[in-house]
């Protein structure tokens, strides 16, 4: 574990633009990868990295060292190590996402906390009369439930209106998404209203699709949207992130989903502007008023270790050929390959083209399973876990009117498995899922007769 103050070096703002990668002779081996994730429960086909991420053993060990340092001498840790360690992590993240300055990057618990920070600010603007009652917030219908609840808590309660953009699924191109988003903005601006905030996912969760976020942000600028918040909970480590290229006012991504940090930790990027000066952490401490990054770095006595291991995580990812970019390509290529394998085995299709898949893919399930509700999807997921030792989310996509007539389910795909691929996964994980579904189909099982 790197000591933030080793050799008396207190200058954490100077980070090389190109992080050092391992030489070919020292790239991590398959056996070393297995050792790093040997703590995973044996026998489980764990193809759901998207929900909670995964943390290598070496990072768990680094985290434990930070935890022990605090427990051994809390005062020394607080006065001499904590803030410098967090600054070191922020500086590395600044370089990783191509932000202009470390002051634009705060470290928070997760994307839920970041959404609360941004939406709290918007709610204040409505409550204080800076935004007019009825002005709109535009969001995608598949936004995270926590974001929807934050809008309810902060925005609608203060008088803002919400426009929900219905995205098509299955989806075949970026243009389908762009067209629907334009419709949503037009609705938000109807009757002389202003769109005060647009919330755009970089990668939607259920169903998972890579959104053309740069194009949507540009449309927001052209249409006079006041602020743009990109909820990129799944992004860092799964797709390329360049916050200047994307151009949003706010951008959040979890570091524990696809970037190997222990839970829970995320970064919130706030582009330098007068608005950024009025953002505050919802947990108020004695640092209130010193800027969001400083406020977020101390919200009372708690475990900050997950925020301090970012340097160790970068060392870990750079053991792979190509570093984090190499891992992204490896996972994307593998999940598409496995998704196509499953779709062929089940006679179905992927929910989006390969270029719109991150390190996850939606794979249609056989129509004979008769997935006809969210409850059915949850029952099937539970059955796969309990009886086949397969962990995979199941998504229900309501069919259009007229697509199902009576008992005619042939070819009507209403359920999708969201498969993930991370470096610890093997082909056997996906074959186990394939065989489990095939067995259910062979046995004539439908969601109607699952417990």
């Amino acid at each position: 574990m790197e000591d933030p103050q080793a050799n008396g070096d207190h200058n954490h703002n100077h980070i090389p633009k190109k992080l050092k990668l391992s030489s070919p002779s020292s790239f991590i081996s398959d056996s070393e990868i297995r050792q790093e994730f040997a703590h995973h429960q044996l026998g489980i086909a764990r193809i759901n990295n998207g929900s909670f991420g995964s943390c290598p053993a070496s990072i768990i060990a680094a985290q434990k060292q930070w935890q022990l340092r605090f427990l051994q001498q809390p005062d020394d840790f607080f006065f001499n190590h904590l803030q410098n360690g967090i600054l070191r992590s922020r500086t590395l993240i600044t370089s990783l996402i191509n932000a202009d300055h470390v002051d634009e990057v705060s470290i928070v618990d997760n994307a839920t906390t970041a959404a609360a920070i941004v939406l709290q600010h918007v709610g204040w603007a409505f409550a204080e009369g800076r935004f007019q009652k009825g002005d709109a917030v535009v969001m995608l219908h598949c936004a995270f439930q926590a974001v929807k609840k934050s809008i309810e808590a902060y925005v609608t309660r203060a008088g803002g209106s919400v426009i929900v953009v219905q995205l098509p699924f299955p989806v075949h191109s970026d243009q389908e998404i762009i067209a629907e988003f334009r419709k949503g903005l037009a609705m938000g601006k109807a009757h002389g209203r202003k769109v005060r905030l647009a919330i755009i996912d970089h990668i939607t969760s259920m169903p998972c699709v890579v959104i053309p976020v740069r194009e949507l942000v540009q449309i927001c600028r052209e249409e006079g949207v006041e602020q743009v918040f990109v909820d990129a909970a799944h992004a860092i480590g799964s797709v390329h992130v360049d916050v200047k290229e994307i151009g949003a006012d706010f951008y959040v991504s979890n570091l524990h989903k696809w970037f190997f940090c222990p839970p829970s930790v995320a970064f919130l990027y706030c582009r330098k502007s007068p608005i950024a000066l009025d953002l505050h952490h919802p947990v108020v401490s004695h640092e209130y008023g010193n800027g969001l990054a400083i406020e977020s770095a101390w919200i009372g006595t708690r475990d900050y270790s997950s925020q301090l291991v970012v340097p160790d995580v970068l060392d870990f990812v750079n053991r792979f050929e190509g570093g984090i970019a190499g891992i992204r390509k490896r996972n994307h290529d593998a999940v598409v390959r496995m998704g196509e394998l499953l779709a062929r085995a089940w006679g179905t299709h992927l929910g989006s083209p390969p270029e719109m898949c991150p390190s996850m893919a939606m794979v249609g399930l056989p129509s004979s399973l008769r997935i006809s509700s969210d409850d059915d999807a949850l029952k099937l997921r539970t059955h796969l876990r309990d009886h086949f030792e397969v962990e995979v989310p199941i998504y229900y996509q309501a069919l259009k009117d007229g697509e199902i007539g009576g008992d005619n389910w042939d070819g009507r795909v209403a359920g999708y498995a969201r498969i993930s691929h991370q470096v610890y996964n093997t082909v056997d994980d996906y074959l186990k899922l394939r065989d489990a579904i095939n067995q259910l189909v062979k046995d004539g099982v439908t969601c109607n007769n699952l417990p």
Side-chain angles (χ1 to χ4, degrees):
M1 181 186 69
E2 183 171 343
D3 185 339
Q5 291 191 323
N7 301 317
D9 181 8
H10 300 275
N11 181 11
H12 302 300
N13 291 313
H14 178 68
I15 302 295
K17 281 292 181 183
K18 292 188 177 180
L19 300 165
K20 186 177 180 181
L21 303 178
S22 297
S23 63
S25 61
S26 60
F27 288 145
I28 191 169
S29 66
D30 289 344
S31 63
E32 288 173 322
I33 293 173
R34 288 193 296 271
Q35 291 170 9
E36 287 280 9
F37 297 96
H39 54 279
H40 286 186
Q41 186 174 338
L42 293 176
I44 303 296
R46 181 171 164 163
I47 45 182
N48 182 29
N49 191 83
S51 285
F52 299 104
S54 52
C55 187
S58 57
I59 305 305
I60 296 173
Q63 180 187 31
K64 185 176 181 180
Q65 289 184 49
W66 279 112
Q67 291 169 331
L68 286 174
R69 178 175 293 185
F70 168 71
L71 294 171
Q72 288 165 346
Q73 226 296 33
D75 297 85
D76 176 62
F77 177 83
F78 174 76
F79 286 107
N80 297 322
H81 298 285
L82 175 60
Q83 296 305 320
N84 284 331
I86 291 178
L87 178 59
R88 172 72 173 170
S89 293
R90 288 172 50 216
T91 305
L92 289 167
I93 294 166
T94 300
S95 177
L96 193 67
I97 65 174
N98 195 31
D100 277 328
H101 197 275
V102 69
D103 289 345
E104 296 177 314
V105 175
S106 303
I107 297 181
V108 295
D109 279 350
N110 45 42
T112 302
T113 303
I117 290 168
V118 174
L119 291 166
Q120 172 184 254
H121 167 76
V122 174
W124 287 340
F126 277 107
E128 294 167 2
R130 288 178 281 128
F131 294 170
Q132 298 301 308
K133 303 290 185 182
D135 282 351
V137 171
V138 173
M139 62 178 289
L140 309 185
H141 87 277
C142 45
F144 282 90
Q145 191 66 22
V147 173
K148 295 177 181 178
K149 290 297 184 181
S150 289
I151 290 174
E152 180 182 331
Y154 293 113
V155 178
T156 56
R157 182 172 179 174
S161 62
V162 181
I163 302 298
V164 179
V165 178
Q166 295 292 327
L167 295 186
F169 187 81
V171 63
H172 303 96
S173 71
D174 287 347
Q175 291 307 313
E176 293 178 348
I177 296 172
I178 291 170
E180 293 302 315
F181 188 74
R182 286 189 180 278
K183 292 178 187 177
L185 289 185
M187 290 176 61
K189 295 169 66 177
H191 310 297
R193 296 183 301 185
K194 292 184 179 180
V195 178
R196 298 297 188 173
L197 178 71
I199 304 174
I200 304 169
D201 298 77
H202 196 158
I203 301 170
T204 57
S205 178
M206 287 289 266
C208 72
V209 176
V210 177
I211 300 297
V213 62
R214 183 176 60 178
E215 290 82 354
L216 298 190
V217 172
Q218 181 59 39
I219 291 169
C220 288
R221 301 305 183 201
E222 294 167 359
E223 295 294 328
V225 176
E226 186 154 330
Q227 301 169 33
V228 182
F229 172 40
V230 174
D231 182 356
H234 283 280
I236 193 74
S238 182
V239 294
H240 177 62
V241 175
D242 184 325
V243 292
K244 286 194 288 189
E245 183 180 273
I246 292 167
D249 299 286
F250 317 110
Y251 186 101
V252 62
S253 190
N254 290 317
L255 293 163
H256 56 262
K257 281 188 181 286
W258 293 98
F259 197 66
F260 301 107
C261 282
S264 60
V265 57
F267 73 83
L268 173 59
Y269 162 82
C270 303
R271 188 171 64 171
K272 271 200 169 180
S273 71
I275 293 172
L277 300 176
D278 196 32
L279 293 172
H280 297 282
H281 198 285
V283 177
V284 178
S285 78
H286 64 263
E287 295 288 6
Y288 180 84
N290 290 329
L292 179 63
I294 302 303
E295 289 182 17
S296 301
W298 181 257
I299 55 171
T301 301
R302 49 161 297 173
D303 183 2
Y304 291 90
S305 59
S306 61
Q307 302 184 16
L308 297 166
V309 296
V310 172
D312 304 280
V313 172
L314 280 171
D315 288 342
F316 174 77
V317 301
N318 288 334
R319 293 168 64 191
F320 289 79
E321 184 175 4
I324 194 61
I327 292 173
R328 290 198 309 263
K329 184 178 188 309
R330 170 187 181 138
N331 286 334
H332 167 78
D333 292 350
V335 84
V336 169
R337 193 164 59 248
M338 293 299 98
E340 290 173 340
L341 178 150
L342 294 173
R344 285 194 301 270
W346 300 332
T348 60
H349 55 262
L350 297 184
S352 64
E355 62 271 18
M356 299 180 76
C357 298
S359 299
M360 301 181 287
M362 303 298 293
V363 187
L365 290 162
S367 57
S368 63
L369 294 173
R370 300 197 177 192
I371 301 168
S372 58
S373 68
D374 292 331
D375 285 344
D376 283 350
L378 182 58
K379 285 196 296 182
L380 178 57
R381 177 178 183 174
T382 302
H383 191 74
L384 289 169
R385 180 191 304 122
D386 292 347
H387 295 272
F388 294 95
E389 296 188 316
V390 174
E391 189 60 65
V392 64
I394 306 297
Y395 173 71
Y396 165 65
Q397 172 65 38
L399 296 173
K400 298 176 183 177
D401 292 342
E403 283 195 311
I404 295 179
D407 292 329
N408 180 22
W409 280 80
D410 291 344
R412 314 302 191 191
V413 175
Y416 291 80
R418 189 193 76 181
I419 62 171
S420 297
H421 190 281
Q422 188 49 285
V423 296
Y424 56 81
N425 284 119
T426 67
V427 174
D428 287 345
D429 295 328
Y430 306 91
L431 297 182
K432 193 169 186 177
L433 171 60
R434 179 199 66 183
D435 295 345
I437 294 296
N438 285 345
Q439 186 64 50
L440 293 175
V441 172
K442 180 181 177 182
D443 294 343
V445 174
T446 72
C447 287
N448 291 333
N449 51 39
L450 286 177

